[in-house]
Amino acid sequence: MNVIDIGWWQLSLSLVFILLAAVASIIYRLGMERDLLVGTVRTFAQLALVGYVLQFVFDIEHPALILLLYLWMLFWAAHAIHGRVAEPEVSIFGPTFVSMAVTFTLITTVVTSLVVQVDPWYRPQYFIPLGGMIAGNAMNAISLSLERLLSSLRGRRSEVELILSLGGTWQEAARTLRSDAIKAGMIPSVNAMMTVGLVSLPGMMSGQILAGVDPAQAIQYQILVMLMLVGATALGTLIVVNLILRRCFTRYDQLRL
Amino acid sequence: MVHRVRRGGVTAAPIVELKGLALKRGDVSLLESTDLALCAGERLFITGPSGCGKSTLLRRICALESGSENQVMVYGRPVSQWVISDLRRTVAYLPQIPVMVEGSVRDNLRLALSLRVYSGVELPDDNLREGLASLDLDLDLGADASRLSPGQKARVALLQRLLLKPDVMLCDEPIASLDSANADRVIRALQRAGAEGMAQIIVSHQPLSDFPGRRYQLIAKRLEANA
């Protein structure tokens, strides 16, 4: 089966969708026109750029280049979380970077070397797209869990301090908040397993099918992706919540926020 | 200066001592270097205008508020050398607004027992009922704590701490939001606990003049003893 080439001219017709959203934004005064414009330009620019970068990396297949691309993705993920979760009292960049790095590296390596058994395990055609999905989902999960954690520490401050004042340690005072936050990060990827195939046909599977891959093969890949994303969100939120939580308390078990 | 109080001919060492304690809120000084001592069974009242730092003072003593942890000594040891759980078991803090956790009155009264620092401590229902009765609380132990009236919550919160028998109790405006009947009950409960040796620091904007104890006023960044 041949894939129909879209071409840039036909692709520009898809701007009609953006136009639709912009009209809605104007009529209902959503004030999103600017974001829509910037978002559209960035989508075109970033994806066009990454297309060339991937082509280049795939052709050369040099470990140093793959490492560079990996660090680049990692940095932007941590940067995006830092931007979404604005927190003046506690620095979150370090912990988010660490949790992103561990999750990205560990899960991606396990998937390429043990499950898919790519040789070598860092072969960019596998490592980069799989890692990209892992990083993207871990990023969302981490920012969700951080937002939940920090807002509940503030909102339920008196309960936390009640436990502290009775003689509880910071771990005891934050126990329920910690599990709530980890859960908040994991729920989307767990819920996705419930509806996949019934409601949503995931992008990767659809893409493979459009590209002419045997649906059975595409489905196996998709199952792998669903499961690895659950692992990634669990690991990422677990690490980040534990690292950040410690920083929200002083060494004398005082709430810092 | 360290106060030494004679009790029955024996010189009692203070439980809580403030040594050059200073309080700040941001860059604003609330209290300048202050010395104070509190012995077993003693009661201190601190009055002062709202926002002057009375609550911050209590929170510093039990180390809920950060600051120099060497300015507060408990049993002769600076707070920085304590295991904080043990310190807060010794020095209890009752905030102005009582906090109830989700669950029954029993769950709230026993809340602390789930903490490691109280492992081995038990509070059977009989003790809890006795405590409720001593505060004139006619409550079922299974009652939903979130549905109590403010006056009931205040007394449940007080009982929650009294049952744990701390050596010191820091009370932030314990009767501010109570009617006079409830205020009397709280005062009598504190008096009974004091008679059994519990030291107390009570912050209040009411004078509480018929309640015995040493009186201080936090004014112009200083803690002044009242005659």
Side-chain angles (χ1 to χ4, degrees), chain B residues 33 44-45 51 58 71 77 98 140 154-155 159 178 225:
Chain B
S33 177
L44 249 64
F45 290 99
L58 293 188
Q71 295 170 346
R77 261 193 300 159
D140 190 26
R155 282 177 286 160
L159 181 59
L178 303 183

Side-chain angles (χ1 to χ4, degrees), chain A residues 127-198:
Chain A
F127 191 81
I128 297 298
L130 288 168
M133 282 189 275
I134 287 166
N137 281 271
M139 175 178 81
N140 287 331
I142 286 170
S143 58
L144 274 176
S145 64
L146 277 186
E147 274 163 337
R148 171 65 68 88
L149 180 71
L150 294 166
S151 72
S152 60
L153 271 176
R154 288 214 160 81
R156 294 167 68 183
R157 182 191 182 94
S158 54
E159 268 173 73
V160 173
E161 287 206 326
L162 170 67
I163 304 290
L164 293 176
S165 78
L166 288 171
T169 59
W170 66 270
Q171 291 98 326
E172 288 171 322
R175 188 174 293 151
T176 57
L177 305 192
R178 179 196 326 235
S179 40
D180 283 355
I182 294 174
K183 238 182 177 169
M186 287 180 59
I187 280 173
S189 64
V190 175
N191 284 351
M193 292 199 297
M194 308 295 177
T195 54
V196 69
L198 296 177

Side-chain angles (χ1 to χ4, degrees), chain A residues 157-159 161-169 171-173 175 250-255, chain B residues 59 63-66 69 80 84-85 88 93 99 101 111-112 115-118 160-161 164:
Chain A
R157 182 191 182 94
S158 54
E159 268 173 73
E161 287 206 326
L162 170 67
I163 304 290
L164 293 176
S165 78
L166 288 171
T169 59
Q171 291 98 326
E172 288 171 322
R175 188 174 293 151
T250 68
R251 55 193 280 240
Y252 299 114
D253 296 71
Q254 296 150 338
L255 186 56
Chain B
R59 290 167 55 88
L64 269 183
E65 193 86 23
S66 62
E69 277 76 10
S80 55
I84 296 297
S85 306
R88 295 195 181 129
Y93 167 69
V99 182
V101 298
L111 179 63
L115 306 175
R116 199 170 22 173
V117 70
Y118 294 99
Q160 182 183 51
R161 286 153 183 83
L164 302 170

Side-chain angles (χ1 to χ4, degrees), chain B residues 86-164:
Chain B
D86 291 334
L87 174 89
R88 295 195 181 129
R89 186 181 175 174
T90 310
V91 182
Y93 167 69
L94 183 64
Q96 178 174 3
I97 298 165
V99 182
M100 297 287 116
V101 298
E102 213 176 294
S104 63
V105 170
R106 182 191 284 109
D107 295 336
N108 275 274
L109 292 176
R110 287 210 184 120
L111 179 63
L113 301 192
S114 63
L115 306 175
R116 199 170 22 173
V117 70
Y118 294 99
S119 63
V121 178
E122 280 179 36
L123 289 172
D125 279 358
D126 285 346
N127 282 24
L128 305 186
R129 288 203 194 90
E130 206 176 293
L132 288 173
S134 74
L135 281 157
D136 289 318
L137 276 166
D138 184 18
L139 286 176
D140 190 26
L141 285 174
D144 181 355
S146 64
R147 304 179 74 109
L148 303 182
S149 73
Q152 289 173 322
K153 282 184 186 171
R155 282 177 286 160
V156 168
L158 174 65
L159 181 59
Q160 182 183 51
R161 286 153 183 83
L162 289 176
L163 287 167
L164 302 170

